[in-house]
């Protein structure tokens, strides 16, 4: 039965049928508002009935605490409604750093690529149409929640080039680098070829250093899973150090395979793609929603950040940062953080659970890590010399909120150590509005940290504070 039933259609019963039709039609608006009010109340209640039992730090580090899972009629919904940065406000950097705007007035900037000449490419993008995603009452609620969080605007479907020719930290040149794309996200440059990950395909463009726009629609290298559900639509990519392969992230089509595993074909995985032929294989699987990709400078290993599953409680499941092992299975949907079974995934697969690899490092529950980039020299400050920057887009399924900041995970001997360090905070107002939400992060040739803020429509630039 539909949540909002259609008006009755007059049939052969004449006036009585027409009267019923009119009554149903006139009652539509009242019924809809009543249902909206009920759902709002349920969402508010659900946000109050799942108390946090652990401090956020318990879900961080190499050995996070994993409490028993909890469930409710409706999940905890506690998101920061999107609101533009008030005049004169900006994120708050850690001591010893300062932040300025490289560019403002963008249209939902999601991802960044710094070119060798210092030009910055910004993917201005949002979700494509997904007519079959999140149907039913719960789906209707979640669409409203995501819209409130700033994710409901149409996709600009373009890449913009920013150029700071005079080196003052402000881009004085802004051009449309590529247009008419399909929810673009990841970008990678290999020699004279620029690769762009649309939501449904990887495209190849010819690129000449210094050019401010691409020519032509690009050549399709390989199709990517998309379709009418396309739950996790963002597709990122990175080139191998020798340039022969591309590694492409493909998120799951659901929270925990509630649409069946047929809908998950090729998903929850990182693909390895031959850059010249487009042939591919699944490099690693069981990764619910991987996004950021980067090569660890000391070991040369591929690392990623992953959004884990929701609706198991405020303190489950920690999102994570991990090295990506060839042919490894990381548990989704059957288990989490190794071999902790998720009974919601049916039918169970104890054979796969037995193979599940535990990730290297927990970032905290529901922080929604998206961007990830390793620090380069020169360091902003000595404490940020070795490790990974992570852009945490922020929670919707936790009270109090988590994420909504950029953190730094220190590394020693090629492995994460200690707890994350806050680098850029202040994205949520004192009254709970999201002035901004960090997504992609990158490091420019001068060592500055760049942060794409898709709610604030800004690319922020973080540098060290000048000495005396």
């Amino acid at each position: 039965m539909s949540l909002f039933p259609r008006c009755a259609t007059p049939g052969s019963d004449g006036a009585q049928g027409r009267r019923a039709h009119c009554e149903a039609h006139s009652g539509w608006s009242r019924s809809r508002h009543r249902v909206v009010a009920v759902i709002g109340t349920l969402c508010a209640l659900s946000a109050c009935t799942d108390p946090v039992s652990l401090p956020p730090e318990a879900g961080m580090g190499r050995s996070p605490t994993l409490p028993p899972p909890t469930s409710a009629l409706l999940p905890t919904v506690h998101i920061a409604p999107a609101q533009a940065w008030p005049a004169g406000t900006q994120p708050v950097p850690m001591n010893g750093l300062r932040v300025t705007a490289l560019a403002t007035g963008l249209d939902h900037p999601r991802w960044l690529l710094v070119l060798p000449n210092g030009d910055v490419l910004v993917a201005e993008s949002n979700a494509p149409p997904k007519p079959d995603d999140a149907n039913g009452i719960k789906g209707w609620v979640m669409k409203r929640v995501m819209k409130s969080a700033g994710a409901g605007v149409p996709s600009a479907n373009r890449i913009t080039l920013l150029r700071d020719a005079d080196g003052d930290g402000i881009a004085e040149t802004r051009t449309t680098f590529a247009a008419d794309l399909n929810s673009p996200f990841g970008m990678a440059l290999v020699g004279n070829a620029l690769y762009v990950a649309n939501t449904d395909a990887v495209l190849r463009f010819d690129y000449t250093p210094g050019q401010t726009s691409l020519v032509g629609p690009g050549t399709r290298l390989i199709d990517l899973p998309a379709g009418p559900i396309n739950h996790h639509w963002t597709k990122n990519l990175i080139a191998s150090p020798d340039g022969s392969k591309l590694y492409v992230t493909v998120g799951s089509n659901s929270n925990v395979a509630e649409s069946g595993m047929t809908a998950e074909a090729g998903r929850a995985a990182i693909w390895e793609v031959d850059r010249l032929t487009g042939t591919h294989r699944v490099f690693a699987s069981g990764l619910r929603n991987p996004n950021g990709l980067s090569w660890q400078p000391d070991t040369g290993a591929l690392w990623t950040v992953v959004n884990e599953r929701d609706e198991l409680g405020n303190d489950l499941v920690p999102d994570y940062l991990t090295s990506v092992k060839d042919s490894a299975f990381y548990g989704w949907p059957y288990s989490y953080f190794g071999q902790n079974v998720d009974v919601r995934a049916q039918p169970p697969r104890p054979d796969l659970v037995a193979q599940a690899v535990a990730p290297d490092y927990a970032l905290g529950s529901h922080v929604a890590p998206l961007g990830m980039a390793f620090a380069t020299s020169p360091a902003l400050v000595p404490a940020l010399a070795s490790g990974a920057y992570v852009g945490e887009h922020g929670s919707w399924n936790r009270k109090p909120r988590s994420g909504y900041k950029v953190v730094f995970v220190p590394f020693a001997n090629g492995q994460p150590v200690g707890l994350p360090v806050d680098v850029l905070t202040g994205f949520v107002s004192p009254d709970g509005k999201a002035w901004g939400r960090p997504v992609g992060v990158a490091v420019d040739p001068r060592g500055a940290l760049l942060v794409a803020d898709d709610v604030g429509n800004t690319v922020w630039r973080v540098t060290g504070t000048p000495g005396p």
Side-chain angles (χ1 to χ4, degrees):
M1 178 178 172
S2 172
L3 175 62
F4 301 127
R6 296 182 181 272
C7 296
T9 302
S12 59
D13 53 351
Q16 182 178 357
R18 287 191 294 272
R19 185 165 54 251
H21 171 69
C22 293
E23 289 172 354
H25 182 76
S26 65
W28 158 254
S29 179
R30 293 192 302 273
S31 298
R32 183 180 184 278
H33 287 302
R34 282 196 296 270
V35 174
V36 169
V38 169
I39 289 175
T41 302
L42 287 173
C43 289
L45 287 174
S46 69
C48 301
T49 56
D50 190 13
V52 173
S53 57
L54 297 173
E57 294 78 12
M60 301 177 183
R62 296 183 67 86
S63 299
T65 300
L66 303 176
T70 62
S71 61
L73 176 63
L74 284 177
T76 296
V77 178
H78 189 63
I79 203 161
Q83 177 179 299
W85 289 93
T89 59
Q90 61 183 26
V92 179
M94 68 180 289
N95 289 338
L97 302 180
R98 67 174 179 176
V99 59
T100 55
L102 178 70
T104 61
L106 296 162
D107 190 347
H108 217 248
R110 299 280 291 184
W111 214 246
L112 303 169
L113 176 67
V114 181
L115 297 174
N117 68 349
D119 288 347
V120 178
L121 301 183
V122 185
E124 296 176 89
S125 187
N126 210 340
K130 300 181 289 182
D132 291 350
D133 185 27
N135 290 320
I137 295 176
K138 180 179 171 182
W140 188 86
V141 171
M142 290 312 304
K143 288 176 182 177
R144 290 284 188 257
V145 168
M146 294 302 114
K147 183 176 181 179
S148 173
V153 299
S155 179
N157 286 338
R158 68 171 172 259
I159 295 172
T160 292
L161 180 142
L162 305 176
R163 177 173 292 171
D164 174 20
D166 58 9
D168 65 351
I170 301 172
E172 66 274 3
T173 299
R174 181 185 306 190
T175 61
T176 296
F177 191 70
D180 301 320
L181 299 169
N182 185 16
S183 294
F185 198 74
M187 299 164 283
L189 179 66
V190 183
N192 295 333
L194 180 76
Y195 295 89
V196 175
N198 274 346
T199 192
D200 61 349
V202 175
L203 304 181
R204 181 194 183 280
F205 295 87
D206 292 331
Y207 170 75
T208 301
Q211 73 181 88
T212 57
S213 63
L214 296 176
V215 178
T219 302
R220 203 174 187 96
L221 176 66
I222 186 173
D223 291 336
L224 299 175
I229 299 178
N230 206 13
H231 185 68
H232 290 120
W233 61 272
T234 54
K235 311 294 198 302
N236 187 27
L237 56 79
I238 190 174
S240 61
D242 67 1
S244 65
K245 301 290 193 297
L246 298 175
Y247 293 86
V248 183
T249 66
V250 183
S252 69
N253 231 354
S254 61
N255 180 36
V256 63
E258 53 266 32
S259 299
M261 290 305 291
T262 301
E264 305 295 343
R267 287 183 170 265
I270 294 174
W271 291 14
E272 182 185 75
V273 180
D274 185 281
R275 187 177 66 84
L276 299 179
T277 66
T279 58
H280 81 281
R281 70 182 179 102
V282 172
F283 183 75
S285 60
L287 300 153
R288 178 177 175 268
N289 186 25
N291 277 271
L293 293 169
S294 191
W295 300 101
Q296 209 283 325
D298 301 319
T299 65
L302 179 63
W303 285 69
T304 189
V305 287
V306 176
N307 284 219
E308 254 291 357
R309 66 205 75 196
D310 298 311
E311 302 176 40
L312 287 179
N314 279 318
D315 301 316
L316 283 180
V317 171
D319 299 325
Y320 59 84
L321 165 72
T322 192
S323 59
V324 186
K325 299 175 175 62
D326 190 350
S327 303
F329 173 70
Y330 289 84
W332 188 89
Y334 305 105
S335 66
Y336 54 87
F337 245 84
Q339 298 172 6
N340 298 278
V341 174
D342 190 336
V343 299
R344 299 174 299 176
Q346 294 295 323
R349 287 291 304 272
D351 56 326
L352 290 179
V353 171
Q355 302 173 28
V357 174
D360 291 292
Y361 187 90
L363 293 164
S365 295
H366 310 298
V367 298
L370 295 176
M372 191 267 285
F374 282 103
T376 62
S377 182
L380 296 181
V381 292
L384 306 180
S386 178
Y389 296 104
V390 179
E392 298 181 348
H393 201 224
S395 63
W396 69 266
N397 187 215
R398 189 176 191 275
K399 186 176 184 180
R401 301 176 187 92
S402 58
Y404 296 94
K405 59 186 176 181
V406 178
V407 302
F408 182 82
V409 178
F411 270 59
N413 300 317
Q415 294 295 322
V417 294
L419 292 175
V421 177
D422 289 351
V423 174
L424 202 59
T425 59
F427 287 88
V428 178
S429 70
D431 62 348
K433 303 295 192 302
W435 288 336
R437 299 185 77 180
V439 192
V441 296
V443 179
D444 75 11
R446 290 178 283 173
L449 172 67
L450 304 180
V451 180
D453 174 356
D454 68 351
V455 163
N457 291 322
T458 299
V459 173
W460 301 104
R461 187 171 188 267
V462 183
T463 59
T465 301

